[in-house]
Amino acid sequence: MASSSPSTLIVKVEFGGGLELLFSNQRSHKVTLPATAPKDSTTAVPVLEIEYTKPADVTYLIHYLRDNLLKERAELFVENGTVRPGILVLINDTDWELEGEGDYVIKDGDEIVFISTLHGG
């Protein structure tokens, strides 16, 4: 938080409402992300020689989680390039819709919570 332009960001990510089952049955994760992301945030796998970068945003985080932490059934977490409908996303305890959704630029120390509001039957 003290450095002016860190190369990595540490973010606390939590899953609830059953989503933790897709992430090794672990509710809380400390995730270290690159501070910059490819211009196309859906590319979370490092690619050599990316010309255009932008600050890491929540869309990048979603795809990073899918590609690096998710253990099974990605379709239950990601749909059409964002979180699946029925997943509530909180950024520092605020609904992500008030923060710009996937365009929110992640800051070191942010807490992002994903909660499934869907219950199977």
Side-chain angles (χ1 to χ4, degrees), residues 2-121:
S3 83
S4 58
S5 95
S7 59
T8 60
L9 303 168
I10 297 175
V11 181
K12 182 178 181 183
V13 177
E14 292 197 2
F15 301 99
L19 280 177
E20 65 276 8
L21 299 173
L22 304 176
F23 293 88
S24 302
N25 207 18
Q26 186 178 342
R27 182 176 169 83
S28 185
H29 299 259
K30 184 187 275 189
V31 178
T32 302
L33 288 174
T36 56
K39 193 167 186 172
D40 174 8
S41 293
T42 62
T43 306
V45 178
V47 179
L48 296 177
E49 298 181 26
I50 295 175
E51 289 185 44
Y52 301 101
T53 58
K54 63 178 185 173
D57 57 18
V58 173
T59 298
Y60 177 72
L61 173 65
I62 291 165
H63 291 88
Y64 182 91
L65 294 171
R66 179 198 64 196
D67 295 345
N68 295 284
L69 279 179
L70 186 69
K71 297 303 179 192
E72 59 182 308
R73 303 195 59 192
E75 71 278 4
L76 295 179
F77 182 61
V78 178
E79 183 178 293
N80 297 323
T82 188
V83 290
R84 183 182 168 128
I87 295 177
L88 175 65
V89 182
L90 300 174
I91 300 170
N92 301 319
D93 296 322
T94 302
D95 189 322
W96 78 326
E97 291 180 4
L98 301 173
E99 297 289 354
E101 298 186 359
D103 293 332
Y104 173 83
V105 174
I106 295 174
K107 296 169 198 60
D108 195 44
D110 276 350
E111 181 176 288
I112 316 292
V113 180
F114 298 90
I115 302 169
S116 176
T117 61
L118 303 175
H119 302 282

